Amino acid sequence: DSRTSYRSKAYSIARDMGIKSAERSIFLDNVQTKEAVSAQIARAVKVAKEKGKAIAIGHPSKATIATLAEIAPQILDEGVQLVFASAIVD
């Protein structure tokens, strides 16, 4: 569930039905600047370290792609593995 609406019920309904599901932890690019995306990535890394996983979603914008490309090696150095969301759905 992307949780782009505060009224979203997809995750809770899927869970109630016994369907494997997950929901977004962090939205990367509400503000599409390199600085804002970088701050959101840092939040996602923090959540992943605290909870063992995090799902970060965003758009394929120039700021998001450039920032992810630049920061990905640092994320890996911090011991956080980047995977598709489907790999951590339970």
Side-chain angles (χ1 to χ4, degrees):
D1 185 352
S2 66
R3 293 182 37 228
T4 53
S5 167
Y6 72 93
R7 291 187 253 174
S8 179
K9 298 191 184 314
Y11 179 73
S12 60
I13 290 171
R15 292 307 243 181
D16 290 346
M17 296 176 69
I19 298 169
K20 289 184 178 186
S21 53
E23 60 184 341
R24 162 189 56 87
S25 307
I26 301 290
F27 195 82
L28 295 177
D29 54 8
N30 262 346
V31 178
Q32 293 189 4
T33 66
K34 207 168 178 184
E35 295 78 19
V37 173
S38 181
Q40 290 298 89
I41 291 170
R43 286 184 63 208
V45 168
K46 182 178 179 188
V47 170
K49 287 180 173 183
E50 290 172 355
K51 297 186 176 187
K53 63 182 177 181
I55 296 177
I57 67 169
H59 300 96
S61 68
K62 287 182 180 183
T64 304
I65 292 169
T67 306
L68 281 169
E70 181 180 314
I71 293 178
Q74 296 167 13
I75 294 169
L76 298 173
D77 287 346
E78 290 187 48
V80 175
Q81 184 179 7
L82 301 174
V83 299
F84 290 106
S86 59
I88 59 173
V89 172
D90 53 13

Coordinates of all heavy atoms in Angstrom, one line a residue:
D1 N 0.9 -1.2 0.0 CA 0.0 0.0 0.0 C 0.9 1.2 0.0 O 1.7 1.4 0.9 CB -0.9 0.0 1.2 CG -1.9 1.1 1.3 OD1 -1.9 2.0 0.4 OD2 -2.8 1.0 2.2
S2 N 0.7 2.1 -1.0 CA 1.6 3.3 -1.0 C 1.2 4.3 0.0 O 1.9 5.2 0.3 CB 1.5 3.9 -2.4 OG 0.1 4.4 -2.6
R3 N 0.0 4.2 0.6 CA -0.5 5.1 1.6 C -0.5 6.6 1.1 O -0.2 7.5 1.9 CB 0.2 4.9 2.9 CG 0.0 3.6 3.5 CD 0.7 3.4 4.9 NE 0.7 4.6 5.7 CZ 1.8 5.0 6.3 NH1 3.0 4.4 6.2 NH2 1.8 6.1 7.1
T4 N -0.7 6.8 -0.2 CA -0.8 8.2 -0.7 C -2.0 8.9 -0.2 O -2.1 10.1 -0.4 CB -0.6 8.2 -2.2 OG1 -1.6 7.4 -2.8 CG2 0.8 7.8 -2.6
S5 N -3.0 8.2 0.3 CA -4.2 8.8 0.9 C -4.3 8.3 2.4 O -4.0 7.2 2.7 CB -5.4 8.3 0.2 OG -6.6 8.7 0.9
Y6 N -4.6 9.3 3.2 CA -4.7 8.9 4.6 C -5.9 8.0 4.9 O -6.0 7.4 5.9 CB -4.8 10.2 5.5 CG -6.1 10.9 5.4 CD1 -7.1 10.7 6.3 CD2 -6.3 11.9 4.5 CE1 -8.3 11.3 6.2 CE2 -7.5 12.6 4.4 CZ -8.5 12.3 5.2 OH -9.7 13.0 5.1
R7 N -6.7 7.9 3.9 CA -7.9 7.0 4.0 C -7.7 5.6 3.5 O -8.6 4.8 3.4 CB -9.1 7.6 3.3 CG -9.6 8.8 4.0 CD -10.9 9.3 3.4 NE -10.5 10.5 2.6 CZ -11.3 11.2 1.8 NH1 -12.5 10.7 1.6 NH2 -11.0 12.2 1.2
S8 N -6.5 5.3 3.0 CA -6.2 4.1 2.4 C -6.5 2.9 3.3 O -6.2 2.9 4.5 CB -4.7 4.0 2.0 OG -4.4 2.7 1.4
K9 N -7.1 1.9 2.8 CA -7.5 0.7 3.6 C -6.9 -0.6 3.0 O -7.1 -1.7 3.4 CB -9.0 0.6 3.6 CG -9.6 1.8 4.3 CD -11.1 1.5 4.6 CE -11.8 2.7 5.2 NZ -11.2 3.4 6.2
A10 N -6.1 -0.4 1.9 CA -5.6 -1.6 1.2 C -4.8 -2.5 2.1 O -5.0 -3.8 2.1 CB -4.7 -1.2 0.0
Y11 N -3.9 -2.0 2.8 CA -3.0 -2.8 3.7 C -3.8 -3.6 4.7 O -3.7 -4.8 4.9 CB -1.9 -2.0 4.4 CG -1.0 -2.7 5.3 CD1 -0.1 -3.6 4.8 CD2 -1.1 -2.6 6.6 CE1 0.8 -4.3 5.6 CE2 -0.3 -3.3 7.5 CZ 0.6 -4.2 7.0 OH 1.5 -4.9 7.8
S12 N -4.7 -2.9 5.4 CA -5.4 -3.5 6.5 C -6.4 -4.6 6.0 O -6.6 -5.6 6.5 CB -6.2 -2.5 7.4 OG -7.1 -1.7 6.6
I13 N -7.0 -4.3 4.8 CA -7.9 -5.3 4.2 C -7.2 -6.5 3.8 O -7.6 -7.6 4.0 CB -8.7 -4.6 3.1 CG1 -9.7 -3.6 3.6 CG2 -9.5 -5.7 2.3 CD1 -10.4 -2.8 2.6
A14 N -6.0 -6.3 3.1 CA -5.2 -7.4 2.7 C -4.8 -8.3 3.9 O -4.9 -9.5 3.8 CB -4.0 -6.9 1.9
R15 N -4.4 -7.6 4.9 CA -4.0 -8.4 6.1 C -5.1 -9.2 6.7 O -5.0 -10.3 7.1 CB -3.4 -7.4 7.2 CG -2.1 -6.8 6.8 CD -1.1 -7.8 6.5 NE 0.0 -7.8 7.4 CZ 1.1 -8.6 7.2 NH1 1.1 -9.4 6.3 NH2 2.0 -8.5 8.1
D16 N -6.3 -8.5 6.8 CA -7.5 -9.2 7.3 C -7.8 -10.4 6.4 O -8.4 -11.4 7.0 CB -8.7 -8.3 7.3 CG -8.6 -7.2 8.4 OD1 -7.7 -7.3 9.3 OD2 -9.3 -6.2 8.3
M17 N -7.5 -10.4 5.1 CA -7.8 -11.5 4.2 C -6.7 -12.5 4.2 O -6.8 -13.5 3.4 CB -8.1 -10.9 2.8 CG -9.4 -10.0 2.8 SD -9.6 -9.3 1.2 CE -10.1 -10.8 0.2
G18 N -5.7 -12.3 4.9 CA -4.5 -13.2 4.9 C -3.6 -13.1 3.7 O -2.9 -14.0 3.4
I19 N -3.7 -12.0 3.0 CA -2.9 -11.8 1.8 C -1.6 -11.1 2.2 O -1.6 -10.2 2.9 CB -3.7 -10.9 0.8 CG1 -5.0 -11.5 0.3 CG2 -2.8 -10.5 -0.4 CD1 -5.9 -10.6 -0.4
K20 N -0.5 -11.6 1.6 CA 0.8 -11.0 1.9 C 0.7 -9.6 1.4 O 0.2 -9.3 0.4 CB 1.9 -11.7 1.1 CG 2.2 -13.1 1.7 CD 3.4 -13.7 0.9 CE 3.8 -15.0 1.5 NZ 5.0 -15.6 0.9
S21 N 1.2 -8.7 2.3 CA 1.1 -7.3 2.0 C 2.2 -6.5 2.8 O 2.8 -7.0 3.7 CB -0.3 -6.8 2.3 OG -0.6 -7.1 3.6
A22 N 2.3 -5.2 2.3 CA 3.2 -4.3 3.0 C 2.8 -2.9 2.7 O 1.9 -2.7 1.9 CB 4.7 -4.5 2.5
E23 N 3.3 -2.0 3.5 CA 3.0 -0.6 3.3 C 4.2 0.3 3.3 O 5.2 -0.1 3.9 CB 1.9 -0.1 4.3 CG 2.4 -0.2 5.7 CD 1.3 0.2 6.7 OE1 0.4 0.9 6.3 OE2 1.5 -0.1 7.9
R24 N 4.1 1.4 2.6 CA 5.2 2.3 2.5 C 5.6 2.8 3.9 O 4.8 3.1 4.7 CB 4.8 3.5 1.7 CG 5.7 4.7 1.8 CD 5.2 6.0 1.2 NE 3.9 6.5 1.5 CZ 3.6 7.3 2.5 NH1 4.5 7.6 3.4 NH2 2.4 7.7 2.6
S25 N 6.9 3.0 4.1 CA 7.5 3.6 5.3 C 7.8 5.1 5.0 O 7.5 5.9 5.9 CB 8.8 2.9 5.7 OG 8.6 1.5 5.8
I26 N 8.4 5.3 3.9 CA 8.8 6.7 3.6 C 8.5 7.0 2.1 O 8.7 6.2 1.3 CB 10.4 6.8 3.8 CG1 10.8 6.5 5.2 CG2 10.9 8.2 3.3 CD1 10.4 7.4 6.2
F27 N 8.0 8.2 1.9 CA 7.8 8.8 0.6 C 9.0 9.7 0.3 O 9.3 10.6 1.0 CB 6.5 9.5 0.4 CG 6.1 9.8 -1.0 CD1 5.4 8.8 -1.7 CD2 6.4 11.0 -1.6 CE1 5.1 9.0 -3.0 CE2 6.0 11.2 -2.9 CZ 5.4 10.2 -3.6
L28 N 9.8 9.3 -0.8 CA 11.0 10.0 -1.0 C 11.0 11.4 -1.6 O 11.8 12.2 -1.3 CB 11.9 9.2 -2.0 CG 12.3 7.8 -1.5 CD1 13.1 7.1 -2.6 CD2 13.2 7.9 -0.2
D29 N 10.0 11.7 -2.4 CA 10.1 12.9 -3.1 C 8.8 13.8 -3.2 O 8.4 14.3 -4.3 CB 10.6 12.6 -4.5 CG 9.8 11.6 -5.3 OD1 8.8 11.1 -4.8 OD2 10.3 11.2 -6.4
N30 N 8.2 14.0 -2.1 CA 7.1 15.0 -2.0 C 7.7 16.3 -2.5 O 7.0 17.1 -3.2 CB 6.5 15.1 -0.6 CG 5.3 14.3 -0.5 OD1 4.7 13.9 -1.4 ND2 4.8 14.2 0.8
V31 N 8.9 16.6 -2.0 CA 9.6 17.8 -2.5 C 10.8 17.3 -3.4 O 11.6 16.5 -2.9 CB 10.2 18.6 -1.3 CG1 11.1 19.8 -1.8 CG2 9.1 19.0 -0.3
Q32 N 10.7 17.7 -4.6 CA 11.6 17.1 -5.6 C 12.9 17.9 -5.8 O 13.2 18.5 -6.8 CB 10.9 16.9 -6.9 CG 9.9 15.8 -6.8 CD 9.3 15.4 -8.1 OE1 9.7 15.9 -9.2 NE2 8.3 14.6 -8.1
T33 N 13.7 18.0 -4.7 CA 15.0 18.6 -4.7 C 16.0 17.5 -4.2 O 15.6 16.6 -3.4 CB 15.1 19.8 -3.9 OG1 15.0 19.5 -2.5 CG2 14.1 20.9 -4.3
K34 N 17.2 17.6 -4.6 CA 18.2 16.7 -4.2 C 18.3 16.7 -2.6 O 18.5 15.6 -2.0 CB 19.6 17.0 -4.8 CG 20.5 15.9 -5.0 CD 21.6 16.3 -5.9 CE 22.6 15.1 -6.0 NZ 23.7 15.4 -6.8
E35 N 18.3 17.8 -2.0 CA 18.4 17.9 -0.6 C 17.3 17.2 0.1 O 17.5 16.5 1.1 CB 18.5 19.4 -0.1 CG 19.7 20.1 -0.7 CD 19.7 20.6 -2.1 OE1 18.5 20.6 -2.7 OE2 20.7 20.8 -2.7
A36 N 16.1 17.5 -0.3 CA 14.9 16.9 0.3 C 14.9 15.4 0.1 O 14.6 14.6 1.1 CB 13.6 17.5 -0.3
V37 N 15.2 14.9 -1.1 CA 15.2 13.5 -1.3 C 16.3 12.8 -0.5 O 16.1 11.8 0.1 CB 15.4 13.2 -2.8 CG1 15.6 11.7 -3.1 CG2 14.2 13.7 -3.7
S38 N 17.4 13.5 -0.4 CA 18.5 12.9 0.5 C 18.1 12.8 1.9 O 18.4 11.8 2.6 CB 19.7 13.8 0.3 OG 20.8 13.3 1.1
A39 N 17.4 13.8 2.4 CA 16.9 13.7 3.8 C 15.9 12.6 4.0 O 15.9 11.9 5.0 CB 16.2 15.0 4.2
Q40 N 15.0 12.4 3.0 CA 14.1 11.3 3.1 C 14.8 9.9 3.0 O 14.4 9.0 3.7 CB 13.0 11.4 2.0 CG 12.1 12.6 2.2 CD 11.3 12.4 3.5 OE1 11.7 12.9 4.6 NE2 10.1 11.8 3.4
I41 N 15.8 9.8 2.2 CA 16.6 8.6 2.1 C 17.2 8.3 3.4 O 17.2 7.1 3.9 CB 17.6 8.6 1.0 CG1 16.9 8.6 -0.4 CG2 18.6 7.4 1.1 CD1 17.8 8.9 -1.6
A42 N 17.7 9.3 4.1 CA 18.3 9.1 5.4 C 17.3 8.6 6.4 O 17.6 7.8 7.2 CB 18.9 10.4 5.9
R43 N 16.1 9.1 6.3 CA 15.0 8.7 7.2 C 14.7 7.2 6.9 O 14.5 6.4 7.8 CB 13.7 9.5 7.0 CG 13.8 10.9 7.6 CD 12.5 11.7 7.5 NE 11.5 11.0 8.2 CZ 10.2 11.0 7.9 NH1 9.8 11.7 6.8 NH2 9.3 10.4 8.6
A44 N 14.7 6.8 5.6 CA 14.4 5.4 5.3 C 15.5 4.5 5.8 O 15.2 3.4 6.3 CB 14.3 5.3 3.8
V45 N 16.7 4.9 5.7 CA 17.8 4.1 6.2 C 17.7 3.9 7.7 O 17.8 2.8 8.3 CB 19.2 4.7 5.8 CG1 20.3 4.1 6.6 CG2 19.4 4.6 4.3
K46 N 17.3 5.0 8.4 CA 17.1 4.9 9.9 C 16.0 4.0 10.2 O 16.2 3.1 11.1 CB 16.8 6.3 10.4 CG 16.6 6.4 11.9 CD 16.4 7.8 12.4 CE 16.2 7.7 13.9 NZ 15.8 9.0 14.5
V47 N 14.9 4.0 9.5 CA 13.8 3.1 9.8 C 14.2 1.7 9.5 O 13.9 0.8 10.3 CB 12.5 3.5 8.9 CG1 11.5 2.4 9.0 CG2 12.0 4.8 9.3
A48 N 14.9 1.5 8.4 CA 15.4 0.1 8.1 C 16.3 -0.5 9.2 O 16.2 -1.6 9.5 CB 16.1 0.1 6.7
K49 N 17.2 0.4 9.7 CA 18.1 -0.1 10.8 C 17.3 -0.4 12.1 O 17.6 -1.3 12.8 CB 19.2 1.0 11.0 CG 20.2 1.0 9.9 CD 21.2 2.1 10.3 CE 22.4 2.0 9.3 NZ 23.4 3.0 9.7
E50 N 16.3 0.5 12.4 CA 15.5 0.3 13.6 C 14.6 -0.9 13.5 O 14.4 -1.6 14.5 CB 14.7 1.6 13.9 CG 15.6 2.7 14.3 CD 14.8 4.0 14.4 OE1 13.6 4.1 14.1 OE2 15.4 5.0 14.9
K51 N 13.9 -1.1 12.4 CA 12.9 -2.1 12.2 C 13.3 -3.3 11.4 O 12.5 -4.2 11.3 CB 11.6 -1.4 11.6 CG 11.0 -0.3 12.5 CD 9.7 0.2 11.9 CE 9.2 1.2 12.9 NZ 7.8 1.6 12.5
G52 N 14.4 -3.3 10.8 CA 14.9 -4.4 10.0 C 14.5 -4.3 8.6 O 15.0 -5.1 7.7
K53 N 13.6 -3.4 8.2 CA 13.2 -3.2 6.8 C 12.5 -1.9 6.7 O 11.9 -1.3 7.7 CB 12.4 -4.3 6.3 CG 11.0 -4.5 7.0 CD 10.3 -5.7 6.5 CE 9.0 -5.9 7.3 NZ 8.2 -7.0 6.8
A54 N 12.4 -1.3 5.5 CA 11.7 -0.1 5.2 C 11.3 -0.1 3.8 O 12.1 -0.6 2.9 CB 12.5 1.1 5.6
I55 N 10.2 0.4 3.4 CA 9.8 0.5 2.0 C 9.7 2.0 1.7 O 9.0 2.8 2.3 CB 8.4 -0.2 1.7 CG1 8.6 -1.7 1.9 CG2 8.0 0.2 0.3 CD1 7.3 -2.4 1.7
A56 N 10.6 2.4 0.8 CA 10.6 3.8 0.4 C 10.1 3.9 -1.1 O 10.5 3.1 -1.9 CB 12.0 4.4 0.5
I57 N 9.2 4.8 -1.3 CA 8.7 4.9 -2.7 C 8.9 6.3 -3.2 O 9.0 7.3 -2.4 CB 7.2 4.5 -2.8 CG1 6.3 5.5 -2.0 CG2 7.0 3.1 -2.3 CD1 4.8 5.3 -2.3
G58 N 8.9 6.5 -4.5 CA 9.0 7.8 -5.1 C 8.8 7.8 -6.6 O 8.3 6.7 -7.1
H59 N 9.0 8.9 -7.2 CA 8.8 9.0 -8.6 C 10.1 8.9 -9.4 O 11.2 9.2 -8.8 CB 8.1 10.3 -9.0 CG 6.8 10.5 -8.3 ND1 6.6 11.1 -7.1 CD2 5.6 10.0 -8.7 CE1 5.4 11.1 -6.8 NE2 4.7 10.4 -7.7
P60 N 10.1 8.6 -10.7 CA 11.4 8.6 -11.4 C 11.8 10.0 -11.9 O 12.0 10.2 -13.1 CB 11.0 7.6 -12.6 CG 9.6 7.8 -12.8 CD 9.0 8.0 -11.4
S61 N 11.8 10.9 -11.0 CA 12.2 12.3 -11.3 C 13.7 12.4 -11.3 O 14.4 11.6 -10.8 CB 11.6 13.2 -10.3 OG 12.3 13.1 -9.0
K62 N 14.2 13.5 -12.0 CA 15.6 13.7 -12.0 C 16.2 13.8 -10.7 O 17.3 13.1 -10.4 CB 15.9 15.0 -12.8 CG 15.7 14.9 -14.3 CD 16.1 16.2 -14.9 CE 15.8 16.1 -16.4 NZ 16.3 17.4 -17.1
A63 N 15.6 14.5 -9.7 CA 16.2 14.6 -8.4 C 16.3 13.3 -7.7 O 17.3 13.0 -7.0 CB 15.4 15.6 -7.6
T64 N 15.2 12.5 -7.8 CA 15.2 11.2 -7.1 C 16.2 10.2 -7.7 O 17.0 9.6 -6.9 CB 13.8 10.6 -7.2 OG1 12.8 11.5 -6.6 CG2 13.7 9.3 -6.4
I65 N 16.2 10.1 -9.0 CA 17.2 9.2 -9.6 C 18.6 9.6 -9.3 O 19.5 8.8 -9.0 CB 16.9 9.1 -11.1 CG1 15.6 8.4 -11.4 CG2 18.0 8.4 -11.8 CD1 15.1 8.5 -12.8
A66 N 18.9 10.9 -9.5 CA 20.3 11.4 -9.3 C 20.7 11.2 -7.8 O 21.9 10.7 -7.5 CB 20.4 12.8 -9.6
T67 N 19.8 11.5 -6.9 CA 20.2 11.3 -5.5 C 20.4 9.9 -5.1 O 21.3 9.5 -4.4 CB 19.1 12.0 -4.6 OG1 18.9 13.3 -5.0 CG2 19.5 11.9 -3.1
L68 N 19.5 9.0 -5.6 CA 19.6 7.6 -5.3 C 20.9 7.0 -5.9 O 21.7 6.3 -5.2 CB 18.5 6.8 -5.8 CG 17.2 6.8 -5.0 CD1 16.0 6.2 -5.8 CD2 17.4 6.1 -3.7
A69 N 21.3 7.4 -7.1 CA 22.5 7.0 -7.7 C 23.7 7.4 -6.9 O 24.7 6.6 -6.7 CB 22.6 7.5 -9.1
E70 N 23.7 8.6 -6.4 CA 24.8 9.2 -5.6 C 24.9 8.5 -4.2 O 26.0 8.2 -3.8 CB 24.6 10.7 -5.5 CG 25.7 11.4 -4.7 CD 25.5 12.9 -4.6 OE1 25.1 13.5 -5.7 OE2 25.6 13.4 -3.5
I71 N 23.8 8.3 -3.6 CA 23.8 7.9 -2.2 C 23.8 6.3 -2.1 O 24.2 5.8 -1.0 CB 22.6 8.5 -1.5 CG1 22.8 10.0 -1.4 CG2 22.4 7.9 -0.1 CD1 21.6 10.7 -0.7
A72 N 23.4 5.6 -3.1 CA 23.4 4.1 -3.0 C 24.6 3.5 -2.4 O 24.5 2.6 -1.5 CB 23.0 3.5 -4.3
P73 N 25.8 3.9 -2.8 CA 27.0 3.2 -2.3 C 27.1 3.5 -0.8 O 27.6 2.6 0.0 CB 28.2 3.9 -3.0 CG 27.6 4.3 -4.3 CD 26.2 4.7 -4.0
Q74 N 26.8 4.7 -0.3 CA 26.8 5.0 1.1 C 25.8 4.1 1.9 O 26.1 3.7 3.0 CB 26.5 6.5 1.4 CG 27.5 7.4 0.7 CD 27.0 8.8 0.7 OE1 26.0 9.2 1.4 NE2 27.7 9.7 0.0
I75 N 24.6 3.9 1.3 CA 23.6 3.1 2.0 C 24.2 1.7 2.2 O 24.0 1.1 3.3 CB 22.3 3.1 1.2 CG1 21.7 4.5 1.1 CG2 21.3 2.1 1.7 CD1 20.6 4.6 0.2
L76 N 24.8 1.2 1.1 CA 25.3 -0.2 1.2 C 26.5 -0.2 2.3 O 26.6 -1.2 3.0 CB 25.8 -0.6 -0.2 CG 24.7 -0.7 -1.2 CD1 25.4 -1.0 -2.6 CD2 23.7 -1.8 -0.9
D77 N 27.3 0.8 2.3 CA 28.4 0.9 3.3 C 27.8 0.9 4.7 O 28.5 0.4 5.7 CB 29.2 2.1 3.1 CG 30.1 2.0 1.9 OD1 30.3 0.9 1.3 OD2 30.7 3.0 1.4
E78 N 26.6 1.4 4.9 CA 26.0 1.4 6.2 C 25.3 0.1 6.6 O 24.7 -0.1 7.6 CB 24.9 2.5 6.3 CG 25.5 3.9 6.3 CD 24.5 5.0 6.5 OE1 23.7 4.8 7.5 OE2 24.4 5.9 5.8
G79 N 25.4 -0.9 5.7 CA 24.9 -2.2 5.9 C 23.4 -2.4 5.6 O 22.8 -3.4 6.0
V80 N 22.9 -1.5 4.8 CA 21.5 -1.6 4.4 C 21.5 -2.0 3.0 O 22.1 -1.5 2.1 CB 20.8 -0.2 4.5 CG1 19.3 -0.3 4.0 CG2 20.7 0.2 6.0
Q81 N 20.7 -3.1 2.7 CA 20.7 -3.7 1.4 C 19.4 -3.1 0.7 O 18.4 -3.0 1.2 CB 20.5 -5.2 1.5 CG 20.5 -5.9 0.2 CD 20.4 -7.4 0.4 OE1 20.2 -7.9 1.5 NE2 20.5 -8.2 -0.7
L82 N 19.6 -2.8 -0.6 CA 18.5 -2.3 -1.4 C 17.9 -3.4 -2.2 O 18.6 -4.2 -2.9 CB 19.0 -1.2 -2.4 CG 19.7 0.0 -1.8 CD1 20.3 0.9 -2.8 CD2 18.7 0.8 -0.9
V83 N 16.6 -3.6 -2.0 CA 15.9 -4.7 -2.6 C 14.5 -4.2 -3.2 O 14.1 -3.1 -2.8 CB 15.6 -5.9 -1.7 CG1 16.9 -6.5 -1.2 CG2 14.7 -5.5 -0.5
F84 N 13.9 -5.0 -4.0 CA 12.5 -4.7 -4.4 C 11.6 -4.9 -3.3 O 11.8 -5.7 -2.4 CB 12.1 -5.6 -5.6 CG 12.8 -5.3 -6.9 CD1 13.8 -6.1 -7.4 CD2 12.5 -4.1 -7.6 CE1 14.4 -5.8 -8.6 CE2 13.1 -3.9 -8.8 CZ 14.1 -4.7 -9.3
A85 N 10.6 -4.1 -3.2 CA 9.6 -4.2 -2.1 C 9.0 -5.6 -2.0 O 8.8 -6.1 -0.9 CB 8.5 -3.2 -2.3
S86 N 8.9 -6.2 -3.1 CA 8.3 -7.6 -3.1 C 9.2 -8.6 -2.3 O 8.7 -9.6 -1.8 CB 8.1 -8.1 -4.5 OG 9.3 -8.1 -5.2
A87 N 10.5 -8.3 -2.1 CA 11.4 -9.1 -1.4 C 11.1 -9.1 0.1 O 11.6 -10.0 0.8 CB 12.8 -8.8 -1.7
I88 N 10.4 -8.1 0.6 CA 10.2 -8.0 2.1 C 8.8 -8.0 2.5 O 8.4 -7.7 3.6 CB 11.0 -6.7 2.6 CG1 10.5 -5.5 2.0 CG2 12.5 -6.9 2.5 CD1 11.0 -4.2 2.7
V89 N 7.9 -8.4 1.6 CA 6.5 -8.5 1.9 C 6.2 -9.7 2.7 O 6.8 -10.8 2.4 CB 5.6 -8.5 0.6 CG1 4.2 -8.8 0.9 CG2 5.8 -7.2 -0.2
D90 N 5.5 -9.6 3.7 CA 5.2 -10.8 4.5 C 3.7 -10.9 4.9 O 2.9 -10.0 4.6 CB 6.0 -10.9 5.8 CG 5.9 -9.6 6.6 OD1 5.1 -8.8 6.4 OD2 6.8 -9.5 7.5

